[in-house]
Amino acid sequence: PGKKVLIVYAHQEPKSFNGSLLKIAVEELTKQGCSVTVSDLYAMQFEPRATRNDIVGHLHNSEEFNYGVETWEAYKRGGLSKDLVEEQRKVQEADLLIFQFPLFWFNMPAILKGWMDRVLVQGFAYDLSKSYDGGLLQDKLSLFSFTTGGTKEMYSKEGIGGDIRYILWPMQHGIMHFCGVKVLEPHICYAPAHASEEKRKEMLAAWTQRLKTLWKEEPIDCSPEWYFK
């Protein structure tokens, strides 16, 4: 109770299966006494492109634009654009970050990737000497909850898509773990669009169940072995 949760949600349609998963998370976690904030990226018309508009005022080097350097310098002097400052505040306050999205092309949707690109700037989320277990966002948990188009069999080691864990490596390890965030087991709903109404209800019930004991879970072992063993 009293935990703060940020759900970063990337789906265009509230009536979608992802929309239902979001609704369940908000209701269940609120019921537990958590305070839940949602960044509904499509509804916010969140800008996914990393551009010089993200820096307010003067550039560190106006001769040659380097996004990483400029956002780092801007962060240090409080010169990032309003939308970024707002998202960083939500991340800073959160104990748990939930990312809710449909898998697109073995990856997160562009709007969510853009959120990662723009919000997790150097100085805020990591520093070159402070990354992975030393990342700047330690003491936070994250959870990737997503839907797939393909079946569970397709995303197995023997399947055409390969082990789903390979897909999670850049998201969970390359972004979250890099920033020091601990990672909970992902929550994957396989091919809800092709499932029966009954199966879909079961998937939603399983998510509700999991959320009830979420705070008791141990994070995964953030090592290459978890992904590639």
Side-chain angles (χ1 to χ4, degrees):
K3 298 270 195 201
K4 288 195 157 87
V5 182
L6 171 61
I7 305 177
V8 187
Y9 168 71
H11 198 291
Q12 311 87 332
E13 174 51 66
K15 295 200 278 286
S16 64
F17 194 81
N18 273 273
S20 301
L21 291 163
L22 169 70
K23 196 160 166 281
I24 286 171
V26 172
E27 285 170 6
E28 185 51 46
L29 291 164
T30 303
K31 209 187 288 177
Q32 293 175 19
C34 300
S35 81
V36 183
T37 304
V38 178
S39 285
D40 182 341
L41 301 182
Y42 286 102
M44 289 156 69
Q45 297 190 323
F46 186 81
E47 167 61 82
R49 294 170 301 180
T51 68
R52 60 179 60 209
N53 296 340
D54 294 348
I55 294 102
V56 178
H58 70 274
L59 290 178
H60 180 68
N61 175 357
S62 51
E63 298 301 303
E64 191 183 325
F65 185 73
N66 177 319
Y67 186 81
V69 170
E70 293 298 343
T71 48
W72 185 25
E73 292 296 335
Y75 176 74
K76 287 190 285 195
R77 64 176 161 82
L80 288 172
S81 61
K82 206 163 80 235
D83 59 338
L84 292 193
V85 172
E86 180 57 16
E87 293 307 298
Q88 288 176 346
R89 182 188 61 75
K90 295 176 194 172
V91 170
Q92 198 65 68
E93 289 178 357
D95 298 296
L96 167 66
L97 309 169
I98 296 178
F99 300 100
Q100 182 63 59
F101 58 96
L103 200 65
F104 284 2
W105 295 118
F106 278 33
N107 214 320
M108 57 185 95
I111 200 166
L112 178 55
K113 178 58 167 58
W115 184 94
M116 304 281 183
D117 291 351
R118 296 181 62 226
V119 175
L120 302 175
V121 304
Q122 186 170 351
F124 169 68
Y126 70 94
D127 225 316
L128 293 182
S129 61
K130 298 187 178 76
S131 56
Y132 291 111
D133 292 340
L136 299 176
L137 299 179
Q138 288 171 55
D139 306 327
K140 295 186 189 303
L141 292 169
S142 62
L143 193 166
F144 286 82
S145 169
F146 59 94
T147 57
T148 66
T151 60
K152 192 167 184 173
E153 292 68 44
M154 290 163 92
Y155 287 111
S156 64
K157 270 204 171 74
E158 298 70 39
I160 185 79
D163 193 332
I164 193 79
R165 292 184 176 202
Y166 306 155
I167 292 168
L168 289 159
W169 170 253
M171 302 183 206
Q172 294 187 162
H173 186 77
I175 303 175
M176 285 298 116
H177 185 201
F178 187 80
C179 297
V181 180
K182 293 181 179 62
V183 180
L184 295 174
E185 281 277 352
H187 197 85
I188 308 165
C189 292
Y190 291 97
H194 307 294
S196 65
E197 192 51 42
E198 194 181 342
K199 189 79 190 102
R200 282 205 291 270
K201 283 201 174 101
E202 277 171 28
M203 288 184 199
L204 295 175
W207 180 224
T208 309
Q209 258 337 97
R210 179 168 179 198
L211 289 161
K212 289 187 192 305
T213 55
L214 198 62
W215 302 103
K216 296 194 176 81
E217 290 186 19
E218 285 298 318
I220 65 166
D221 158 36
C222 280
S223 68
E225 287 76 47
W226 189 88
Y227 298 90
F228 301 109
K229 62 176 182 239

